[in-house]
Amino acid sequence: MASKLIMNEAIKAAEVSLTGLDGEQLGVVSRQEALDLAKQLKADLVCDSLMSSPPPCRLVSRGAAKREKDQAGKEARQKDGQIKVKEIRLSASIEEHDYETKRRQAEKLLESGHGVLLVVRIQGKEGPAAKTLLEGLANDLKASGTRKTGVQLSGKQAALELLPK
């Protein structure tokens, strides 16, 4: 997994080897000078490695560093092939608003690289309704995920597993 991102005031070195927003080398400057420049350019100061002295740091547009780290983490998880599967429980007689909430929740999980196990608890003769509900939800989530399994009806529940695209 990606290591912790060291940014701005969390960088404790007295001097840093600074790279600008466009990748240009700005040389070795004091930590305070680098922080002032970052503030002036509305950017973040990000440390790439603490293993060298002075540590190499770069200016990155505000918020881009976190997105970059999140993306790298997502790619690393996908390469590992160890996708965490999160369970979302529904009922066969779900209201439209609740359905939309669960759909958005599943979409968010799929987009962040997690698998989703949709589970519908069945009581009495709700089997066909549960199957229809899961088919519809899988259809609505086509853009974010692909089916790992078909709808599985077993005793008291119906389940469907989706993997991120």
Side-chain angles (χ1 to χ4, degrees), residues 111-142:
E111 285 170 2
S112 67
H114 295 287
V116 175
L117 179 64
L118 302 167
V119 177
V120 179
R121 298 275 178 228
I122 300 172
Q123 295 173 345
K125 297 180 180 176
E126 290 179 336
K131 188 171 182 175
T132 306
L133 172 70
L134 288 175
E135 292 289 347
L137 194 51
N139 224 12
D140 290 347
L141 293 168
K142 256 186 200 163

Side-chain angles (χ1 to χ4, degrees), residues 7-165:
M7 293 173 50
N8 301 329
E9 279 73 23
I11 299 169
K12 299 297 181 197
E15 290 185 328
V16 297
S17 175
L18 190 60
T19 305
L21 283 170
D22 299 320
E24 72 279 9
Q25 291 298 322
L26 301 175
V28 176
V29 296
S30 73
R31 170 184 173 268
Q32 192 53 52
E33 200 177 319
L35 287 170
D36 291 343
L37 185 59
K39 191 179 278 185
Q40 182 184 328
L41 296 171
K42 290 183 173 54
D44 286 320
L45 182 65
V46 179
C47 185
D48 291 323
S49 167
L50 294 173
M51 296 302 148
S52 57
S53 183
C57 294
R58 58 192 163 100
L59 294 172
V60 191
S61 60
R62 191 148 287 151
K66 188 172 184 336
R67 283 192 302 274
E68 201 176 280
K69 179 187 176 227
D70 291 347
Q71 185 66 31
K74 182 178 169 184
E75 287 170 5
R77 276 196 306 277
Q78 287 175 342
K79 279 183 188 156
D80 290 349
Q82 296 175 336
I83 296 173
K84 278 200 171 105
V85 177
K86 306 282 185 168
E87 185 176 305
I88 295 180
R89 293 184 180 174
L90 309 134
S91 66
S93 57
I94 191 169
E95 297 285 327
E96 184 64 33
H97 174 265
D98 296 334
Y99 175 87
E100 285 302 313
T101 303
K102 296 290 188 179
R103 184 191 58 75
R104 279 194 308 271
Q105 185 182 6
E107 204 169 83
K108 197 180 278 186
L109 285 167
L110 288 166
E111 285 170 2
S112 67
H114 295 287
V116 175
L117 179 64
L118 302 167
V119 177
V120 179
R121 298 275 178 228
I122 300 172
Q123 295 173 345
K125 297 180 180 176
E126 290 179 336
K131 188 171 182 175
T132 306
L133 172 70
L134 288 175
E135 292 289 347
L137 194 51
N139 224 12
D140 290 347
L141 293 168
K142 256 186 200 163
S144 306
T146 54
R147 292 174 181 223
K148 178 179 179 187
T149 62
V151 175
Q152 298 169 330
L153 284 167
S154 61
K156 301 220 180 269
Q157 70 178 25
L160 172 67
E161 192 170 340
L162 299 173
L163 295 175
K165 278 198 170 173

